Amino acid sequence: MSFSPPPPPPSLATPSSALPVDLPLRQIPGSYGWPLVGSTSDRLDYFWFQKPVSFFRKGIEKHKSTVFRTNVPPSFPFFLNVNLNVIAVVDVTSFSHLFDMDLVEKKDILLVDFAPSLAYTGNMRVGVYQDPSKPQHGMVKSFNLFLLII
């Protein structure tokens, strides 16, 4: 018997020039539901009725897309100033597009819409909260990778 090697994994940073240009742009399917009812319903489905894997599989089947709108399942719906609305990216192909700077703006974000004030970090923007299009982000990233290699 001969076994063929598995195909190489998809690149995490697919350049935008490699994307098919003939595909139409679509609206992201799904909805967040009513303000309190939608988040509670998604939470109950995620933890009790459907469980995590089935929750995302049913979302893929329902919306016929691996990218859809939902509420963050593991968050409590009564927290104030927490945005529960997210866009679920469930497959590797769609996930790799998140690293393309031409498709996704990554300014002042790391975890949802949270970013600490500059006063908290001594009026300096920490590397993970820097805008990736700025040159200082590349310098901080290179320095951190250098420290990891040593």
Side-chain angles (χ1 to χ4, degrees):
M1 276 198 254
S2 66
F3 293 100
S4 61
S11 171
L12 288 179
T14 305
S16 59
S17 61
L19 298 174
V21 291
D22 58 343
L23 293 177
L25 288 178
R26 298 187 320 163
Q27 292 292 328
I28 297 173
S31 70
Y32 303 118
W34 291 78
L36 185 60
V37 178
S39 61
T40 304
S41 171
D42 285 346
R43 183 178 172 83
L44 289 172
D45 285 342
Y46 185 85
F47 283 112
W48 288 289
F49 301 134
Q50 295 177 1
K51 301 298 181 194
V53 174
S54 179
F55 176 81
F56 291 110
R57 282 191 181 146
K58 290 192 185 220
I60 292 170
E61 292 169 4
K62 178 181 176 184
H63 302 296
K64 300 200 178 2
S65 175
T66 56
V67 178
F68 56 91
R69 296 176 195 272
T70 187
N71 294 293
V72 177
S75 61
F76 188 67
F78 300 114
F79 286 149
L80 300 176
N81 298 328
V82 175
N83 187 359
L84 304 174
N85 304 336
V86 299
I87 297 174
V89 180
V90 186
D91 68 337
V92 174
T93 305
S94 300
F95 184 77
S96 65
H97 295 350
L98 293 175
F99 296 98
D100 189 351
M101 293 301 297
D102 296 331
L103 298 175
V104 179
E105 179 185 359
K106 301 177 188 176
K107 184 177 180 184
D108 294 332
I109 61 166
L110 179 63
L111 299 172
V112 193
D113 53 1
F114 171 76
S117 70
L118 289 177
Y120 180 73
T121 57
N123 292 327
M124 295 179 64
R125 189 165 299 278
V126 180
V128 295
Y129 291 105
Q130 290 182 355
D131 183 1
S133 63
K134 301 280 170 88
Q136 188 176 8
H137 173 78
M139 293 174 16
V140 172
K141 181 178 176 181
S142 297
F143 176 72
N144 288 330
L145 289 174
F146 173 75
L147 290 177
L148 286 174
I149 293 173
I150 294 180

